[in-house]
Amino acid sequence: MGIALCVYPLLPNYGALIAIRLLFALGGGASSSMLVAVLADYAHDKIRGRLAGLVGLCSGLGALLALFVFMPMPFKFGDAAKGLRVTFLIVGLLSVIFAVLLFFFLKPIKAPEEDDADKTEPEETESRKTFIQTAKEGILAAKDPKVLLGYVGSFLARGDTVIITLFVPLWVYKRYIELGNCNPVGGVEDPNIRDVCAEAFKRGSAISGVAQTFALVGAPLFGYLADRFSATSVVLMNAAIGCISYFVMFAADPMKSYVYAIVIFVGLSEIGLIIGNLSLVTNNDSVDKSIRGSVAGVSSACGAIGILISSKLGGALFDSWREGAPFFVLAIGHFIAAMFGVWVVVGEWKKRRVGAAASSDV
């Protein structure tokens, strides 16, 4: 990621930009999926939710750093092109520095029972898994309903991110244009819409900012709840919150002040699904340590699919139906997840009840 960011503003043509963007995507995808695997290795089940909450908190802080420090940075220079080059270089160097730190300080964690086994070399080295084998392991892990619920949570959480960052501003722009408060030549697709509809840009940024701020605040809370109760309950609760919030948002007017209250719950739902997903797909009871990487990769892939479907389907309906259509899509998705979450939670409750009955009989 660091190399791609440093080189990106220096490339001469569109083809080179696409190639280096693919390199960045490779690094970004690998880091997000391996974040899950590393959390699985480092976290004890008793504090897994809280550590997932801290991961979510750090992710939120990174987003705020980008929003309030790095995004305005290019405009601090007299030459905008120079400002962009310097900003990309600074962010790229930060990424490289973190890569060096991780190389030296991120160590594999071994279970105590593995220590003796590691003292002797095995007679035969196990062949490395192929890509197909790895993907198959991650997909088959979804036979466990809790892992499948984690995948669903990842899908929705990334879809939430797209809705908040991409469609909320467009929603506000469209409303301002309908009211005649601004008249960009190309509508919401006008490249100068931020300048032409400056007030709409400010309001859209404020609405998105409220959602992201409460996502940041909610991360430790949901991490604690995942440990105190269960990660499945956290996913169920936030799927329900997201369902209600997006249905209300679908019918809401972005010009009304109550919209800020709605996006508070949207932000909480987003981070709650992320924390619940991290806890579910890293749990030792559900995921064997030999397939943690496979499960992490499939979980991240589900998030990527969520981004693609939310952006493409939401965008098509935004153009052909109404500006609130992307929120309706997410509301339906959260409703389905909530129903599945109810089934998983009830199944867990029945298992505990049978186990308790068996113990009392003994």
Side-chain angles (χ1 to χ4, degrees), residues 6-361:
C6 291
V7 173
Y8 197 82
L10 307 176
L11 298 174
N13 55 59
Y14 183 72
L17 288 172
I18 293 295
I20 208 68
R21 185 66 181 83
L22 292 175
L23 177 65
F24 177 82
L26 178 64
S31 64
S32 61
S33 60
M34 288 304 99
L35 165 67
V36 180
V38 170
L39 178 63
D41 284 340
Y42 272 71
H44 191 281
D45 279 342
K46 291 183 179 179
I47 59 169
R48 190 174 301 280
R50 276 166 282 182
L51 284 180
L54 289 175
V55 169
L57 178 65
C58 290
S59 298
L61 290 173
L64 291 178
L65 180 68
L67 180 64
F68 293 112
V69 177
F70 294 133
M71 286 186 68
M73 189 177 291
F75 303 102
K76 304 296 183 182
F77 297 83
D79 184 350
K82 178 183 178 182
L84 280 172
R85 287 194 294 269
V86 172
T87 302
F88 268 84
L89 182 62
I90 291 173
V91 179
L93 288 176
L94 282 174
S95 184
V96 171
I97 290 170
F98 276 110
V100 173
L101 291 173
L102 288 170
F103 179 80
F104 285 106
F105 294 109
L106 185 63
K107 300 297 182 182
I109 301 297
K110 296 179 181 179
E113 61 270 14
E114 294 179 335
D115 292 342
D116 294 336
D118 290 340
K119 292 177 182 178
T120 58
E121 292 291 333
E123 293 181 1
E124 295 184 6
T125 303
E126 184 181 356
S127 59
R128 292 186 180 275
K129 300 173 185 177
T130 65
F131 172 80
I132 299 298
Q133 289 173 326
T134 301
K136 185 178 179 180
E137 286 178 344
I139 293 171
L140 290 178
K143 289 180 178 179
D144 187 314
K146 290 189 289 186
V147 175
L148 181 56
L149 184 61
Y151 290 168
V152 172
S154 177
F155 176 93
L156 288 175
R158 299 308 171 191
D160 288 346
T161 303
V162 170
I163 294 299
I164 292 172
T165 57
L166 179 61
F167 288 110
V168 165
L170 291 176
W171 179 48
V172 177
Y173 286 138
K174 189 76 175 288
R175 186 59 177 153
Y176 266 74
I177 293 171
E178 288 176 351
L179 294 174
N181 293 339
C182 63
N183 297 288
V185 176
V188 293
E189 298 180 1
D190 192 319
N192 299 315
I193 194 168
R194 290 188 179 184
D195 297 324
V196 177
C197 300
E199 290 301 317
F201 172 70
K202 291 178 182 178
R203 188 172 185 83
S205 299
I207 293 172
S208 298
V210 168
Q212 297 294 5
T213 299
F214 276 86
L216 182 68
V217 172
L221 170 64
F222 290 121
Y224 168 77
L225 292 177
D227 287 335
R228 180 66 178 81
F229 299 101
S230 70
T232 51
S233 299
V234 168
V235 173
L236 168 59
M237 177 176 64
N238 285 285
I241 291 173
C243 174
I244 296 170
S245 301
Y246 279 118
F247 269 125
V248 175
M249 204 167 174
F250 168 67
D253 183 348
M255 302 298 291
K256 303 297 184 181
S257 57
Y258 65 78
V259 76
Y260 290 103
I262 299 172
V263 295
I264 287 174
F265 292 101
V266 168
L268 290 173
S269 173
E270 175 197 358
I271 197 64
L273 288 172
I274 291 174
I275 303 306
N277 157 61
L278 284 174
S279 299
L280 286 173
V281 301
T282 60
N283 192 290
N284 288 327
D285 292 336
S286 306
V287 182
D288 188 85
K289 62 183 178 181
S290 64
I291 62 169
R292 284 173 180 168
S294 304
V295 171
V298 172
S299 177
S300 295
C302 289
I305 295 170
I307 291 173
L308 289 173
I309 292 179
S310 298
S311 57
K312 296 300 181 182
L313 180 59
L317 292 176
F318 182 95
D319 292 334
S320 61
W321 184 22
R322 54 182 293 180
E323 60 272 16
F327 310 138
F328 182 78
V329 171
L330 263 294
I332 296 298
H334 282 74
F335 175 77
I336 295 172
M339 293 300 99
F340 180 55
V342 169
W343 180 74
V344 175
V345 169
V346 170
E348 284 187 325
W349 176 77
K350 287 182 178 179
K351 284 182 180 180
R352 288 195 298 268
R353 189 176 179 182
V354 170
S359 299
S360 62
D361 290 341

